Amino acid sequence: MSRIVVLGAGGRAGRAVTAEALGRGHEVTAVVRDPVRYPDLAAPGVSVVRGDVTDAGSVREAAGGAVAAVHAVSPFSGPEQGFDALDPDFFVKAADALLAGLAGAGVRRLVAVGLFADLLGADGRPVMDDPSAFPPEIRPFALAHTAGLRRLREAAGSEVDWVMLTPGGGLDQDAPRTGRHRLGDERVPEGAPGLSYADLAVAVLDEIETPTQHRARVSVFVPRDMRSAEERGAEERGTEEERGADEG
């Protein structure tokens, strides 16, 4: 049984990854900023610890004994939070701390959760540069995230083999686990298909157990032709309802 350290275990992605890891027989070190706020994370096979993804020493201590790490930390919970307290260098600091801390702990695999706004649209520009596709008010967060990705790419000599898995469309907390995800490239997949948090977690664990992507950012999605008939029917019904509303 191996141990995986999940930084940002209290968020939606972190919780999904923790559940998937436990389901596959792994143990999890769940790293959060304040364990007191997350009593529900405690479970057999889970050790909840305090940690700071921007501090290399904290990362090294939390990652001791792990075979891989997952970076699912976000300092931004939504537009209502505002950006007054947003550190534009947050993801750069996290990248530096993760690469140094994990190397110090002997952890060689890092899977980071990416941001849809960083993917490239049909015109070759990042989604965040298109105000019709991405709210301009959230752009500061997207720029900070992009800077973190850039820092990972600049660390060519790092001992840590990283991959960033970026949802190719919207993330749905209530959608089921299908296990039918695909990995793409740096572009938005055709149709920007959505993805459940559960399937994102499947992709994360797959890249830990059997790595296929190295020092790269790729999209992850479930193609429409791989969804069940029930899922496709629900999507079509939703589209018809939207059309009816538009016509009304």
Side-chain angles (χ1 to χ4, degrees), residues 64-145:
V67 298
V70 178
H71 173 23
V73 180
S74 173
F76 179 67
S77 60
E80 68 283 352
Q81 177 182 331
F83 294 98
D84 292 342
L86 175 65
D87 179 357
D89 295 324
F90 176 86
F91 289 101
V92 171
K93 294 175 181 176
D96 288 342
L98 285 164
L99 294 177
L102 293 178
V107 177
R108 298 294 180 260
R109 185 60 167 168
L110 167 65
V111 181
V113 177
L115 185 69
F116 174 71
D118 291 342
L119 291 177
L120 304 180
D123 59 0
R125 296 186 303 158
V127 172
M128 66 178 169
D129 288 346
D130 181 357
S132 67
F134 190 76
E137 61 271 19
I138 309 179
R139 197 166 188 272
F141 174 71
L143 288 171
H145 204 286

Side-chain angles (χ1 to χ4, degrees), residues 203-237:
V204 168
L205 266 294
D206 283 355
E207 280 299 316
I208 288 174
E209 295 178 342
T210 309
T212 65
Q213 305 293 322
H214 307 279
R215 294 177 169 82
R217 183 270 304 271
V218 297
S219 64
V220 56
F221 59 98
V222 175
R224 190 174 185 279
D225 61 3
M226 294 182 68
R227 300 176 192 172
S228 67
E230 181 179 351
E231 291 172 313
R232 291 196 299 270
E235 180 180 357
E236 290 170 357
R237 288 193 297 274

Side-chain angles (χ1 to χ4, degrees), residues 3-39:
R3 176 169 291 276
I4 296 169
V5 57
V6 180
L7 297 110
R12 293 177 180 177
R15 289 174 182 272
V17 170
T18 297
E20 181 69 21
L22 292 175
R24 297 191 187 199
H26 299 286
E27 294 181 337
V28 174
T29 297
V31 183
V32 293
R33 283 178 282 245
D34 183 4
V36 175
R37 293 177 53 196
Y38 303 98

Side-chain angles (χ1 to χ4, degrees), residues 11 148 186 192 201:
E186 296 204 310

